[in-house]
Amino acid sequence: MRLDMDRDSLFADLRESLRNYEFWLFAAWLEIVSRYRRSYVGVFWVFLPPIATFCVLGYFYSGIIGRSPLVFMPYMGMGFALWRFVTQVMNEASSVFLQSRAFIMDGRIRLTDYILKSISKAAFFLAAALLVLVALLLISPEFTVRGLPLATVGFVIFFWNMVCAATVLALVGARHPDFHEITTSIFIFGFLLTPILWYPESLAQGGRRAAFVQINPVFHFIEAVRAPLLGRTVGWLTPVYLACFTAANSLLATLVYRRYSRFVPIWI
């Protein structure tokens, strides 16, 4: 048991987990390798879904909405890659404590190790998707290098919010195992309502549908990364929304972790 002043502190545990990354990083990589070890191409399977999705699906939908494939494929690809990362993190996090029951009951109670494990596993797939996206961006007429600094800032904010959200969902999932099924259904529905396969400007400005898009946090996270790279203007609402959401999300994760992390061994 930890007896120091930082007991049950999210930031203290995250700091220790980052210093001792061997457990959660290797565990995530081992799960990916084990998943593809019997296939002919091995871990290179992680590249095939983004190639098929970005190129085939992107080319198909570009014709439906009347956009050039070289313009639409990077747009759709960036949105899909980030959305897939969100869904993978949420699905993994909501059941990560239950799946790690043996380690936790054996005394490894620094819960941020398991939270970072769920995030790093999804990050491997995101990294593979980003490599494919680099090729699409380089051939896109809308790509601009000047947007890289702003997109990097947007990605850092996006990633930190995923850590906070994963922390909350991991604790909720430990207390309510059925929550994992709920998150799966929500994200399947949310994908169609987020501007990934379509452009937000296609909606009538000021209407209810446009307002619904503006309250969707995933839309703002995607736009903060995607828009600068594709020469699109980031609306004034996005940085304001992300600042408020990040502050609230960080506070919620900190309070929930401090209050309920000690109960996880009992819940599982």
Side-chain angles (χ1 to χ4, degrees):
M1 297 294 291
R2 292 162 294 170
L3 300 176
D4 55 276
M5 295 297 292
D6 290 329
R7 186 175 184 270
D8 298 327
S9 169
L10 175 60
F11 291 100
D13 281 1
L14 279 175
R15 183 170 60 249
E16 289 301 315
S17 292
L18 291 174
R19 287 177 179 174
N20 303 277
Y21 57 86
E22 295 86 358
F23 169 75
W24 52 267
L25 190 61
F26 179 75
W29 175 247
L30 186 61
E31 285 190 17
I32 295 175
V33 172
S34 300
R35 178 179 177 180
Y36 298 111
R37 64 179 179 178
R38 294 187 178 181
S39 66
Y40 288 105
V41 296
V43 295
F44 288 101
W45 271 109
V46 300
F47 293 99
L48 297 183
I51 291 175
T53 303
F54 302 165
C55 298
V56 178
L57 191 64
Y59 181 83
F60 180 80
Y61 269 89
S62 67
I64 293 178
I65 66 174
R67 299 281 183 132
S68 167
L70 297 182
V71 171
F72 183 73
M73 286 192 295
Y75 172 87
M76 188 276 292
M78 181 66 70
F80 184 85
L82 296 180
W83 179 267
R84 186 186 183 207
F85 179 71
V86 171
T87 57
Q88 286 181 323
V89 169
M90 299 299 101
N91 288 332
E92 289 284 339
S94 60
S95 60
V96 67
F97 291 153
L98 293 173
Q99 294 174 356
S100 306
R101 181 187 294 111
F103 290 102
I104 296 174
M105 299 308 293
D106 195 41
R108 193 180 186 93
I109 57 175
R110 191 169 62 218
L111 301 181
T112 49
D113 285 348
Y114 310 106
I115 296 170
L116 290 180
K117 172 193 169 185
S118 65
I119 295 174
S120 60
K121 184 178 178 181
F124 281 122
F125 291 94
L126 177 62
L130 291 179
L131 290 177
V132 179
L133 274 172
V134 168
L136 293 177
L137 287 171
L138 291 177
I139 62 175
S140 173
E142 293 189 338
F143 172 65
T144 171
V145 178
R146 292 176 296 180
L148 279 174
L150 190 58
T152 302
V153 173
F155 184 79
V156 171
I157 296 173
F158 166 73
F159 197 88
W160 168 246
N161 276 274
M162 288 299 97
V163 174
C164 294
T167 300
V168 175
L169 289 181
L171 291 167
V172 174
R175 183 66 180 89
H176 304 285
D178 292 340
F179 189 72
H180 174 73
E181 301 300 327
I182 298 175
T183 58
T184 302
S185 301
I186 291 175
F187 282 112
I188 292 175
F189 182 69
F191 173 76
L192 299 175
L193 300 179
T194 304
I196 296 174
L197 298 176
W198 47 278
Y199 286 83
E201 51 265 28
S202 62
L203 300 177
Q205 297 302 311
R208 294 181 179 179
R209 294 181 179 87
F212 181 83
V213 169
Q214 293 298 329
I215 65 174
N216 181 357
V218 181
F219 162 69
H220 291 285
F221 286 122
I222 291 176
E223 277 297 283
V225 179
R226 178 175 62 186
L229 293 176
L230 297 179
R232 295 167 57 86
T233 302
V234 179
W236 67 268
L237 182 61
T238 293
V240 174
Y241 187 102
L242 292 183
C244 296
F245 187 90
T246 301
N249 199 17
S250 302
L251 180 61
L252 177 63
T254 302
L255 295 178
V256 169
Y257 189 85
R258 179 176 292 276
R259 177 67 178 85
Y260 295 107
S261 61
R262 69 192 71 181
F263 300 116
V264 169
I266 301 175
W267 291 340
I268 62 176

